[in-house]
Amino acid sequence: MKLVVFIFLTCVSFTNALYSQTDSINVLGEVFLTTTRLKDSVYTTNTIKLKDSVLRLNQASLTNLLNFNSTIYLKENGLGMVSSPSFRGTTASQTAVLWNGININSQTTGQTDFNTINTRGSNTIEVTAGGGSVTNGSGAIGGSINLINEITYNTGFTNDLFINYGAYNTYGVNYQTQYASKKTSVMLGLSRNASDNNYPYPETDQINVNGQYHNNNVSFASGFKLNSKNTINVFANLYKGRRNFSVPTPNALRTKYTDFNTRSLIEWESYIGDFNSNLKLATTTEEYEYFANINSDFFTFGNVQNFIAKYKLDYLVSRKMLLSAGATYTHNNGRGSDIQSKTRNLAAATLSLKHEISKSFLYEIGLRQETNEDFGNPLLYSFGVHYKASSFYQLKINTSKNFRIPTYNDLYWTGLGNPNLKPETSYQAEMSHLFSHKNAMLTVTGYYNQVTDLLRYVPGNDGVFRPENTNEVEIYGLEGIFSYKKKIASHSVSFNATYAYTVSENKETDKQLIYVPFHKLTAAFGYGYKNLSAYYQYLNNGEVFTTTDTISANILDSYMVANLGIDYTLGRQKNYKIGVQILNLWDEAYESVLNRPLPGRNFNFYLNLNF
């Protein structure tokens, strides 16, 4: 009954949802239904698409990008430290991170540290809320983030150099070179980011101790058109980083952590009549070393190697009906000093149908049969409809079942793992209203999510935290996305906004989960005149509970952070750009994790060369 009432309220309360986003953000699928042939896309959920222009306005970490350009709450243990998401009130392990369609969540922790993802290694990032698609696989309970290398042809030889330098000896050097002919495209990207990270804590006399970090990233993408019907794509990414973990007090024991992650993928896409065949073969590795004492040679480690095979066949039954079938196989081999050596084999088969009944109505159905060695063979589904009432208003409804199996750490961590854990199961429903008029667009979504067997780490009688299936969680909320663009002569203005209201309650206690704010909003205003452009970013995160008892003494206060930037384009071909950013413009003292302060006001300068 609560679901029915809530969805009804979203139909009549959309005017309260005008809040935040950044320059040049696209919401995919605002006008889907046409007389052209259908594509293998999800038509009944919402996806935000962040392109190069947005990626460059933000720092190179995925944390910074999504903080100011999405409804996701990011928990960051200090600048550049471990960062994890809460997407629609779920846990970090319930957000699927994909790389060109391949899931890259850690097999040890089940999540992705967003400060180990360098956004300069991708030219497009898609953010999809909810689990309304069977294609993203299990684990996408809160939503999914897809890091994409889009391949372009026939652009010749191009080079792009982006250099930035700022406070605390923070710098980034990002170089990308590409050669693209009519049938061949090759791109190589190199990136280096580092910082002493010794920022003073606002409103105190302390500084961030032992916070140094540096990382290198190499990305590669290529495409080869064998003929008019066959294309081979090759992708690769290598990330190597080191972080000293910031200490809460100057005299605390100093630690450090190193990462070495690799990803490689070969894709063969073939078109034969009304059939489209896509085969992906990928390998990924993840390695870490943790030094509990930075001055000691002793460390703990983990190493997981993954092989993924993914095949999909689309059949265009007619211009208005698309039938798709696919299969995925994943093999994991993990070991470590705190993890028993284990292998895991996972497989899934998918079947989906998209049918455009008329120019104004479409429905889609997806089924996913999971199979694994330890957790049964659940059948997952998604179903959605899309109705275009007019050029001004569209309606989308989607419902789905999703699940997530425990990770290596959850099951096999020596002395702490629990081999009797059950997978989490989620049932979701959402309704979206899309309004568009000339240069403005508003999307309002109400959603409901029920998660059973939620996996959490809870203290035992000995005070040690161990994983257990503890609770049923009820999640519901409201999201709004607004965008406006206008150009008058040499002047251009843009305004983008998102807002999220999230309730995520433990049904045993009727209390909000920790580190889930009830409110988050972001906003961005951009202005351009000839070669000059400026922008203002704004982020407001509501207060969060940091302990399950939700007492007021353990509440982390809400905070408001703003960035201001201005840049100028030079050169006859407008291929040189210089700019400056004032980060945390109002010098806000804030934390996204208790006792982990983030920097006050600081400056960043950048230079962008295209040649």
Side-chain angles (χ1 to χ4, degrees):
M1 184 64 183
K2 184 179 289 187
L3 171 60
V4 175
V5 173
F6 183 76
I7 291 181
F8 172 76
L9 290 175
T10 67
C11 296
V12 298
S13 62
F14 68 86
T15 55
N16 293 324
L18 294 178
Y19 298 97
S20 133
Q21 217 108 355
T22 306
D23 177 59
S24 186
I25 294 177
N26 298 319
V27 182
L28 296 187
E30 59 271 13
V31 181
F32 301 117
L33 308 183
T34 68
T35 57
T36 60
R37 58 188 289 167
L38 292 170
K39 298 180 180 180
D40 182 38
S41 301
V42 181
Y43 289 81
T44 58
T45 59
N46 299 312
T47 296
I48 296 175
K49 191 171 187 177
L50 307 173
K51 299 286 287 185
D52 278 339
S53 57
V54 179
L55 303 185
R56 293 184 183 279
L57 293 181
N58 296 269
Q59 304 302 301
S61 74
L62 190 59
T63 297
N64 184 274
L65 176 71
L66 297 180
N67 249 337
F68 285 92
N69 298 283
S70 76
T71 58
I72 304 173
Y73 178 73
L74 278 303
K75 299 168 287 184
E76 191 174 17
N77 290 270
L79 185 66
M81 303 297 102
V82 174
S83 175
S84 57
S86 175
F87 203 158
R88 280 193 174 179
T90 61
T91 65
S93 299
Q94 294 168 341
T95 297
V97 179
L98 311 173
W99 173 70
N100 295 303
I102 298 297
N103 191 303
I104 58 171
N105 277 24
S106 169
Q107 294 300 315
T108 55
T109 65
Q111 58 187 267
T112 295
D113 181 349
F114 280 22
N115 275 334
T116 65
I117 299 294
N118 189 316
T119 59
R120 310 295 192 224
S122 304
N123 51 23
T124 300
I125 296 178
E126 293 182 353
V127 182
T128 303
S133 169
V134 298
T135 59
N136 290 338
S138 58
I141 292 176
S144 60
I145 299 162
N146 195 5
L147 314 170
I148 301 173
N149 295 105
E150 292 187 340
I151 296 176
T152 58
Y153 291 91
N154 215 26
T155 57
F157 183 58
T158 59
N159 294 273
D160 184 276
L161 177 64
F162 187 89
I163 303 172
N164 67 279
Y165 183 81
Y168 327 119
N169 196 29
T170 301
Y171 69 87
V173 180
N174 305 277
Y175 172 68
Q176 186 178 105
T177 182
Q178 180 177 17
Y179 172 76
S181 64
K182 187 176 181 180
K183 294 186 177 181
T184 301
S185 180
V186 180
M187 185 281 294
L188 176 66
L190 305 173
S191 179
R192 164 81 174 184
N193 294 281
S195 178
D196 290 345
N197 211 23
N198 55 346
Y199 56 88
Y201 294 162
E203 301 179 354
T204 74
D205 58 357
Q206 293 183 300
I207 65 170
N208 191 47
V209 177
N210 199 54
Q212 302 96 318
Y213 68 83
H214 63 77
N215 57 71
N216 303 303
N217 195 83
V218 179
S219 57
F220 175 82
S222 62
F224 307 94
K225 294 183 177 180
L226 304 181
N227 51 47
S228 61
K229 299 183 182 297
N230 292 275
T231 301
I232 298 291
N233 299 320
V234 179
F235 305 94
N237 197 90
L238 182 150
Y239 175 91
K240 184 176 183 180
R242 168 185 162 161
R243 288 176 290 181
N244 294 353
F245 284 154
S246 301
V247 294
T249 61
N251 297 323
L253 190 64
R254 303 184 184 189
T255 62
K256 71 176 181 180
Y257 189 89
T258 64
D259 299 271
F260 182 69
N261 304 322
T262 68
R263 305 191 289 268
S264 59
L265 165 65
I266 183 168
E267 178 184 38
W268 174 27
E269 192 165 20
S270 179
Y271 294 89
I272 305 174
D274 292 327
F275 290 89
N276 177 16
S277 171
N278 185 284
L279 174 65
K280 294 180 179 181
L281 300 176
T283 61
T284 68
T285 67
E286 52 181 287
E287 299 179 23
Y288 73 85
E289 294 179 352
Y290 173 67
F291 295 77
N293 184 340
I294 198 171
N295 297 313
S296 171
D297 293 331
F298 176 78
F299 61 87
T300 57
F301 72 94
N303 184 320
V304 180
Q305 299 175 339
N306 310 293
F307 170 76
I308 305 101
K310 193 173 184 178
Y311 180 73
K312 182 169 62 65
L313 181 65
D314 298 334
Y315 172 53
L316 194 65
V317 181
S318 68
R319 296 180 67 89
K320 296 186 176 184
M321 183 178 293
L322 179 67
L323 182 64
S324 302
T328 302
Y329 169 74
T330 302
H331 174 77
N332 310 133
N333 185 3
R335 63 185 182 91
S337 51
D338 294 320
I339 305 172
Q340 302 173 20
S341 180
K342 291 288 183 177
T343 61
R344 174 185 282 176
N345 294 284
L346 308 172
T350 62
L351 183 66
S352 64
L353 172 69
K354 306 178 194 302
H355 184 197
E356 184 182 350
I357 296 178
S358 67
K359 292 182 180 181
S360 60
F361 187 82
L362 175 147
Y363 71 90
E364 55 187 355
I365 303 171
L367 299 174
R368 182 182 182 93
Q369 179 65 65
E370 293 271 350
T371 179
N372 59 76
E373 300 163 327
D374 301 308
F375 300 102
N377 305 300
L379 178 65
L380 311 181
Y381 66 82
S382 64
F383 173 76
V385 297
H386 181 185
Y387 174 61
K388 183 179 179 182
S390 66
S391 60
F392 171 72
Y393 173 71
Q394 299 179 57
L395 171 69
K396 294 191 288 187
I397 300 175
N398 186 282
T399 182
S400 62
K401 175 186 176 182
N402 304 272
F403 95 127
R404 186 184 74 87
I405 64 176
T407 67
Y408 276 111
N409 280 3
D410 300 333
L411 295 167
Y412 311 123
W413 200 347
T414 303
L416 297 177
N418 181 355
N420 299 316
L421 292 173
K422 301 175 183 178
E424 299 171 324
T425 303
S426 164
Y427 294 91
Q428 304 186 38
E430 66 178 68
M431 175 184 289
S432 296
H433 310 272
L434 289 80
F435 306 88
S436 56
H437 180 66
K438 294 182 179 179
N439 300 312
M441 180 181 299
L442 170 66
T443 301
V444 180
T445 301
Y447 64 89
Y448 179 87
N449 185 5
Q450 186 178 61
V451 184
T452 57
D453 292 318
L454 179 71
L455 198 158
R456 300 171 59 218
Y457 278 72
V458 297
N461 294 330
D462 56 0
V464 177
F465 283 74
R466 294 182 177 86
E468 292 182 10
N469 295 108
T470 56
N471 307 113
E472 177 180 319
V473 175
E474 186 176 56
I475 305 171
Y476 56 93
L478 181 71
E479 296 173 341
I481 302 174
F482 178 77
S483 65
Y484 175 82
K485 294 181 182 180
K486 182 71 174 180
K487 187 171 184 179
I488 304 174
S490 298
H491 301 268
S492 62
V493 295
S494 66
F495 177 73
N496 300 276
T498 67
Y499 170 74
Y501 170 72
T502 308
V503 176
S504 183
E505 290 184 345
N506 180 336
K507 293 307 296 176
E508 291 184 5
T509 63
D510 290 329
K511 296 181 182 295
Q512 182 88 339
L513 295 190
I514 62 173
Y515 289 107
V516 177
F518 286 105
H519 304 278
K520 179 187 176 180
L521 68 91
T522 66
F525 175 79
Y527 171 76
Y529 175 72
K530 294 185 177 179
N531 293 350
L532 182 70
S533 63
Y535 68 91
Y536 178 81
Q537 292 178 315
Y538 174 83
L539 164 67
N540 185 337
N541 271 318
E543 65 182 21
V544 297
F545 300 110
T546 61
T547 57
T548 55
D549 54 21
T550 65
I551 61 176
S552 59
N554 296 323
I555 291 178
L556 197 61
D557 291 336
S558 63
Y559 57 85
M560 298 179 290
V561 182
N563 299 328
L564 179 66
I566 185 169
D567 58 47
Y568 189 80
T569 303
L570 304 166
R572 292 182 178 179
Q573 298 178 338
K574 296 185 177 182
N575 52 347
Y576 305 108
K577 182 178 290 187
I578 57 175
V580 61
Q581 297 170 312
I582 307 175
L583 307 177
N584 193 358
L585 176 65
W586 307 116
D587 200 27
E588 176 86 348
Y590 73 104
E591 305 169 335
S592 61
V593 173
L594 187 64
N595 296 323
R596 297 292 181 174
L598 288 156
R601 184 188 300 115
N602 63 96
F603 293 83
N604 181 56
F605 302 88
Y606 61 89
L607 172 66
N608 190 197
L609 308 177
N610 293 285
F611 53 94

